[in-house]
Amino acid sequence: MVVNFARTSTSADTLRQVFQKVDAQSCPKLFNFHMHTVHSDGKLQPSTLMEQAIAIGLQGLAITDHHSIAGYQAAQAWLKNWQWRNSSENAPDLWSGVEINANLLDVEVHILAYAFEPEHPSLKPYLQKKPTTGKHYQANNVITAIHQSGGLAVLAHPVRYKRSHVDLIAAAAERGIDGVEAFYAYNNPKPWRPSALETQQVQQLADEYQLFNTCGTDTHGLNLLQRL
């Protein structure tokens, strides 16, 4: 498998196809679209993260540091070197990713951006290693910027916020969100598994609004198979 460096609209099309097939068994051993490195509030070095991803056998992943793509860029460089040394081995697809704070219905939410062009000017305000303010902080503007950069926008962990996920998903869909993080472990179980009730509720809303379902461990610790 040739790694997709997520620099063209084709990579977003490929990711759409993956999202259409994501289910409760996809994460954390086939796909993982939510993880953090030392470049935001995580503990993993990008190189260690990629070593774990390959050891696990991930087919695809995205590093989603908060307001930074430095971890993704380091992982991308590491993976390219790994491929040169292991040309006969399958490599996972690595998509660009970032987690962005935003205001939605007067509540702060997190929006995950995937498969965007990292150098696109529309995303520059969101890649400064800190949350934005003013108009850039509004969810509709975040989603628009992600789309302008060729990427996909996903509402992270919809049941974690101070307002009902029913209201938030409806509002996000109205503003053009592409997907919701349906498969998420809200109580940090070991081994990792998506929370059954919350997953069912989010999936039903995703179906209603014709949104993708995505999955991710939201890893902040030293193990990609866990959140903490």
Side-chain angles (χ1 to χ4, degrees):
M1 181 185 296
V2 177
V3 68
N4 186 328
F5 287 124
R7 289 190 174 275
T8 69
S9 59
T10 303
S11 70
D13 291 339
T14 303
L15 188 55
R16 282 190 185 93
Q17 295 173 18
V18 172
F19 283 164
Q20 288 172 346
K21 299 177 182 179
V22 165
D23 60 25
Q25 283 71 50
S26 297
C27 188
K29 295 188 176 180
L30 293 177
F31 295 97
N32 194 340
F33 298 107
H34 196 165
M35 58 190 74
H36 300 273
T37 74
V38 294
H39 290 278
S40 62
D41 58 349
K43 294 182 179 179
L44 281 169
Q45 293 288 341
S47 57
T48 306
L49 183 152
M50 292 307 302
E51 288 171 351
Q52 287 191 27
I54 290 171
I56 291 167
L58 283 178
Q59 296 177 19
L61 69 153
I63 294 170
T64 52
D65 279 317
H66 297 277
H67 297 275
S68 173
I69 57 170
Y72 158 71
Q73 291 171 325
Q76 184 187 53
W78 185 94
L79 185 56
K80 186 175 182 180
N81 288 332
W82 183 90
Q83 286 184 282
W84 286 338
R85 299 192 309 270
N86 301 273
S87 58
S88 63
E89 300 290 331
N90 288 336
D93 287 317
L94 174 64
W95 282 278
S96 57
V98 67
E99 188 166 15
I100 300 171
N101 293 26
N103 175 64
L104 180 63
L105 299 182
D106 296 322
V107 172
E108 182 167 88
V109 300
H110 291 175
I111 296 176
L112 296 161
Y114 297 112
F116 51 84
E117 169 53 58
E119 304 301 325
H120 197 283
S122 68
L123 279 185
K124 186 175 181 180
Y126 303 105
L127 303 179
Q128 304 301 315
K129 299 185 178 181
K130 61 182 180 180
T132 57
T133 58
K135 66 178 183 179
H136 293 304
Y137 182 59
Q138 302 307 310
N140 59 308
N141 291 328
V142 174
I143 294 167
T144 296
I146 294 168
H147 289 162
Q148 288 175 341
S149 69
L152 302 175
V154 170
L155 181 63
H157 37 65
V159 190
R160 274 185 58 183
Y161 303 115
K162 296 179 180 179
R163 185 154 179 170
S164 166
H165 58 285
V166 176
D167 295 339
L168 291 173
I169 291 174
E174 183 180 355
R175 289 158 176 77
I177 204 89
D178 299 293
V180 288
E181 193 173 37
F183 303 103
Y184 188 88
Y186 288 92
N187 55 352
N188 301 321
K190 293 183 180 181
W192 189 96
R193 61 185 179 277
S195 301
L197 178 60
E198 290 86 347
T199 291
Q200 181 183 27
Q201 293 172 344
V202 173
Q203 280 187 288
Q204 289 175 345
L205 290 164
D207 289 343
E208 179 178 348
Y209 295 106
Q210 298 183 316
L211 305 174
F212 296 124
N213 293 301
T214 73
C215 66
T217 55
D218 195 7
T219 294
H220 286 74
L222 294 171
N223 184 351
L224 276 186
L225 298 178
Q226 294 292 146
R227 180 170 185 265
L228 301 174

